[in-house]
Amino acid sequence: MFIIIWGSVCLVFILIGISFRNSKKQIQPWANTTIKIKEEYIKQYNKETGNLFIKYAVLLVLAAVPMLFDMRQNSPMAVITILVTVFSSIYLAYGLVRLQNKYK
């Protein structure tokens, strides 16, 4: 059951990344904010933001691999999964801030 839910969440992030990559309008990944990107860089910004979301989803898939080997409750493999998830979320937030500063 864990793998089905985890895979569904990863699939959602992949679909978000694909929709960001294919968007012709400027995307806004942060809620309730508006970042102005120069008109000539919108397509490139959307592509890089979409790629970032896809990379995040792949990292989440890789984070679930240790749980395939040991699905017991209170497993030490769960710690690895949690740590990889936390660091990949930090990677996503840092990457979004970096991209917005790059294309402002």
Side-chain angles (χ1 to χ4, degrees):
M1 187 64 163
F2 164 78
I3 297 300
I4 294 171
I5 294 171
W6 194 273
S8 300
V9 170
C10 294
L11 182 63
V12 167
F13 276 106
I14 289 172
L15 293 175
I16 289 171
I18 290 170
S19 71
F20 280 179
R21 286 183 66 177
N22 296 332
S23 178
K24 299 205 183 337
K25 297 179 185 175
Q26 178 187 343
I27 53 108
Q28 299 292 336
W30 300 110
N32 299 322
T33 61
T34 304
I35 284 79
K36 298 292 183 191
I37 304 295
K38 294 179 183 174
E39 192 70 32
E40 63 268 11
Y41 295 130
I42 289 177
K43 188 172 183 178
Q44 188 175 1
Y45 170 75
N46 289 348
K47 183 179 177 183
E48 288 188 33
T49 305
N51 287 341
L52 187 65
F53 271 81
I54 292 170
K55 289 176 190 174
Y56 177 68
V58 169
L59 285 173
L60 286 181
V61 168
L62 293 176
V65 170
M67 293 299 289
L68 291 174
F69 299 109
D70 192 3
M71 292 285 288
R72 294 177 293 134
Q73 188 174 358
N74 299 329
S75 167
M77 296 297 183
V79 174
I80 295 170
T81 301
I82 291 168
L83 288 176
V84 172
T85 303
V86 167
F87 287 120
S88 59
S89 298
I90 292 170
Y91 165 76
L92 176 67
Y94 173 75
L96 288 172
V97 170
R98 185 184 54 84
L99 282 174
Q100 289 172 355
N101 289 335
K102 178 180 176 182
Y103 289 110
K104 270 189 179 176

